[in-house]
Amino acid sequence: MQPMSTVPRRLLTKFWFSDSYTCSACRSSRFLSTSTPLRSGHSKWATIKHDKAKNDASKNKQRADFSHEISTACKMFGPDPNTNPRLALAISTAKKAGVPKTIIENALARGQGVSASGAALESVVVEAIMPPSVATVIDCQTDNKLRTLADIRLIIKEHDGTVTPTDYLFGKKGRITFLEKEGVGVDEVLEQALDAGALDVVEGEDGKVVVFTETNETKSTAQALSSSLGLEIKETEIIWDPNEETKVGIEDEEAAKRLSKFLDKIRDISGVQGVYMNFAQGSIDDGLWSDLRRRVAA
């Protein structure tokens, strides 16, 4: 064999890559590498990251629910757990679920119309159109209006939405939700509710009686019906109710998932009281629709 320096170029290639020209030492050598072998299929890290994001979203939703219940109980029956059994139960349940102390304290403060630092809260409403042409109203209470507006507008932009007036596609109403009571349903509540000035009475998805009122008559109507029918008030709130004739159907899974991601981000903003959208089920399946509605619900 010729020395390597004089081996023709074609033969030199064979020397390295063809077993016919390698020596026994080369053939028995192991080539070490620190590189991870490439494999087809899903990345383990991507799966872990996806699961973590899903768990974080679930945890944030749970904390938002506890916070909302604490604020509601505080608004309705006062900030002292010793004289407000509903508030005491809400705080106890939140603590058992591992909700941080700061979140509980912030919720108590919001229930009294102030921030955790004692600053008065200011109402902020942001309106937008989100893909696919869904009108959105975001209702907040904050002690820093400029920061909250900037945060919400950034999330809207990141999810391909546009900040623009949409309140004309909604009706602002009071909504009263009563806890279930055996033998008392929509039919039993309807007549007295209308006499008390209610706009409508419907059955909620979970079987609870829901009464809609003018915004300035919500509290008085709730107290009147609670007293006359022996119903316990679960919640009273002012909402943006979408006009039925202008609702937009969600026609595909991708659109539903994009809206879900947007809602998760918005819910992460402290002080968001409610998110209202004029969407309808369209062609998506019941599971996706239920999940989307759950994310919108306060």
Side-chain angles (χ1 to χ4, degrees), residues 122-128 137-158 162-164 262 266 269-272:
E122 188 175 1
S123 293
V124 175
V125 176
V126 182
E127 305 163 46
V137 175
I138 303 163
D139 206 349
C140 312
Q141 281 191 327
T142 178
D143 60 349
N144 191 325
K145 183 176 180 179
L146 293 178
R147 181 193 63 207
T148 299
L149 283 171
D151 289 346
I152 292 177
R153 286 170 176 165
L154 177 61
I155 292 174
I156 290 171
K157 182 179 179 180
E158 289 175 342
T162 304
V163 176
T164 187
F262 165 72
I266 286 294
I269 296 179
S270 176
V272 171

Side-chain angles (χ1 to χ4, degrees), residues 211-228:
V211 178
F212 292 94
T213 71
E214 297 289 353
T215 56
N216 60 344
E217 296 179 357
T218 307
K219 189 172 182 178
S220 60
T221 302
Q223 292 174 341
L225 293 176
S226 176
S227 177
S228 62

Side-chain angles (χ1 to χ4, degrees):
M1 183 180 291
Q2 302 177 49
M4 283 186 62
S5 59
T6 61
V7 174
R9 187 178 186 88
R10 182 171 56 85
L11 189 57
L12 185 61
T13 303
K14 287 187 177 181
F15 180 83
W16 287 109
F17 294 101
S18 172
D19 198 62
S20 301
Y21 294 96
T22 55
C23 66
S24 60
C26 293
R27 287 199 297 270
S28 62
S29 296
R30 291 186 178 182
F31 294 93
L32 301 179
S33 171
T34 57
S35 300
T36 302
L38 296 176
R39 295 184 177 91
S40 61
H42 295 290
S43 161
K44 183 178 179 181
W45 169 241
T47 301
I48 293 172
K49 188 176 179 182
H50 172 75
D51 290 344
K52 183 181 184 303
K54 191 174 181 180
N55 290 335
D56 288 347
S58 177
K59 185 182 292 186
N60 290 341
K61 177 65 170 64
Q62 183 186 48
R63 289 178 176 180
D65 289 343
F66 282 124
S67 180
H68 184 72
E69 173 60 19
I70 291 170
S71 293
T72 298
C74 188
K75 286 177 185 177
M76 292 175 62
F77 306 111
D80 186 357
N82 296 317
T83 58
N84 185 343
R86 178 171 169 179
L87 178 59
L89 177 61
I91 293 174
S92 175
T93 306
K95 286 180 177 179
K96 288 178 182 177
V99 177
K101 182 180 178 181
T102 53
I103 292 180
I104 294 174
E105 291 175 345
N106 288 340
L108 284 168
R110 281 199 304 275
Q112 301 170 74
V114 296
S115 69
S117 64
L121 295 179
E122 188 175 1
S123 293
V124 175
V125 176
V126 182
E127 305 163 46
I129 293 288
M130 302 302 302
S133 302
V134 176
T136 304
V137 175
I138 303 163
D139 206 349
C140 312
Q141 281 191 327
T142 178
D143 60 349
N144 191 325
K145 183 176 180 179
L146 293 178
R147 181 193 63 207
T148 299
L149 283 171
D151 289 346
I152 292 177
R153 286 170 176 165
L154 177 61
I155 292 174
I156 290 171
K157 182 179 179 180
E158 289 175 342
H159 290 79
D160 300 321
T162 304
V163 176
T164 187
T166 58
D167 61 352
Y168 63 93
L169 298 170
F170 297 80
K172 196 173 183 180
K173 301 175 182 178
R175 181 171 68 189
I176 308 161
T177 304
F178 293 101
L179 293 178
E180 294 175 79
K181 180 181 178 181
E182 188 176 352
V184 181
V186 171
D187 293 338
E188 289 72 26
V189 174
L190 182 60
E191 186 175 346
Q192 291 195 46
L194 294 176
D195 288 343
L199 300 174
D200 196 9
V201 181
V202 301
E203 182 178 315
E205 289 188 345
D206 51 5
K208 294 180 175 63
V209 175
V210 180
V211 178
F212 292 94
T213 71
E214 297 289 353
T215 56
N216 60 344
E217 296 179 357
T218 307
K219 189 172 182 178
S220 60
T221 302
Q223 292 174 341
L225 293 176
S226 176
S227 177
S228 62
L229 295 169
L231 292 171
E232 186 177 349
I233 303 168
K234 180 181 185 298
E235 187 172 44
T236 61
E237 55 189 340
I238 306 301
I239 66 161
W240 294 85
D241 191 30
N243 300 332
E244 199 66 35
E245 64 275 10
T246 62
K247 286 186 177 181
V248 176
I250 307 302
E251 304 300 340
D252 61 82
E253 181 178 342
E254 181 60 28
K257 288 182 177 179
R258 289 178 68 188
L259 285 174
S260 292
K261 289 179 181 178
F262 165 72
L263 289 166
D264 286 342
K265 285 292 186 180
I266 286 294
R267 286 293 182 187
D268 284 344
I269 296 179
S270 176
V272 171
Q273 302 296 295
V275 183
Y276 309 96
M277 290 183 156
N278 72 335
F279 52 27
Q281 183 170 0
S283 302
I284 61 174
D285 62 45
D286 292 341
L288 273 175
W289 176 238
S290 177
D291 182 65
L292 197 54
R293 285 180 59 85
R294 178 183 62 81
R295 292 171 192 272
V296 173

